[in-house]
Amino acid sequence: VAGAGDGEVGAGVRLDRSLFGGVALSDAEKNLQQAALAALERLAQFSPWLVGPILSGAATSHTDIEMEIVDVEPKIFEMQLLGLALPFTLAPAGCTPPDQATRYVINFGQHTIRCTVFRTEAARRTAMSGNDRSTVRARLPEARARLMSQETTAS
């Protein structure tokens, strides 16, 4: 949707799916969900949270995988990414002060992971205050259940 923000597009996708009794997920969307689960598994040592449109059911085939990690030092995270052979770049800090969080863009096969590593849960809460997306997050078991539920609802 030209000129629409991510939240508006996501709301439109969810509305469309609810109005039409759960439009089936495309193969690309199913692939994206599987990639998100694989990414959570690959980064399991950091207890990542899946966040954003994949989890909320508003993803399209062009959506990036969004994750949050809390209580991890960025340099340790970077060393582990190198050890896992996951190429990454630092992303612009946005509104979050660099002493509270570091943002990464990680190449994960054909997909992109946008990952924010927060120094502490308090830093995350501060950075997310006033952002309604901040409460929607899930670790691997819950993410798997929610994504399977989306697929079942859409069929």
Side-chain angles (χ1 to χ4, degrees):
V1 179
D6 288 343
E8 293 166 320
V9 172
V13 170
R14 283 189 300 277
L15 176 63
D16 186 58
R17 287 189 175 142
S18 69
L19 288 175
F20 296 102
V23 175
L25 298 175
S26 71
D27 288 342
E29 291 165 330
K30 289 177 189 176
N31 181 284
L32 183 61
Q33 288 183 343
Q34 291 305 313
L37 294 173
L40 288 172
E41 289 173 356
R42 186 88 181 268
L43 298 172
Q45 68 196 67
F46 300 107
S47 300
W49 297 90
L50 182 64
V51 297
I54 296 172
L55 186 63
S56 69
T60 68
S61 59
H62 305 289
T63 300
D64 289 337
I65 299 166
E66 295 181 31
M67 289 185 181
E68 293 178 355
I69 295 174
V70 180
D71 291 329
V72 173
E73 285 297 317
K75 290 300 174 196
I76 292 172
F77 182 66
E78 291 168 15
M79 298 285 285
Q80 292 298 321
L81 288 177
L82 292 171
L84 293 169
L86 292 174
F88 67 91
T89 57
L90 291 175
C95 299
T96 307
D99 64 331
Q100 293 182 7
T102 305
R103 298 182 193 281
Y104 297 90
V105 176
I106 304 166
N107 295 331
F108 192 73
Q110 299 175 347
H111 301 281
T112 299
I113 301 171
R114 297 196 177 277
C115 182
T116 304
V117 176
F118 292 97
R119 306 289 189 287
T120 64
E121 181 61 32
R124 180 190 174 276
R125 281 193 303 273
T126 299
M128 296 296 183
S129 64
N131 181 348
D132 61 350
R133 286 178 18 166
S134 65
T135 59
V136 181
R137 64 182 186 165
R139 289 202 167 114
L140 182 58
E142 183 185 352
R144 182 176 283 121
R146 289 179 73 164
L147 296 181
M148 286 177 61
S149 168
Q150 287 176 18
E151 193 168 319
T152 305
T153 304
S155 317

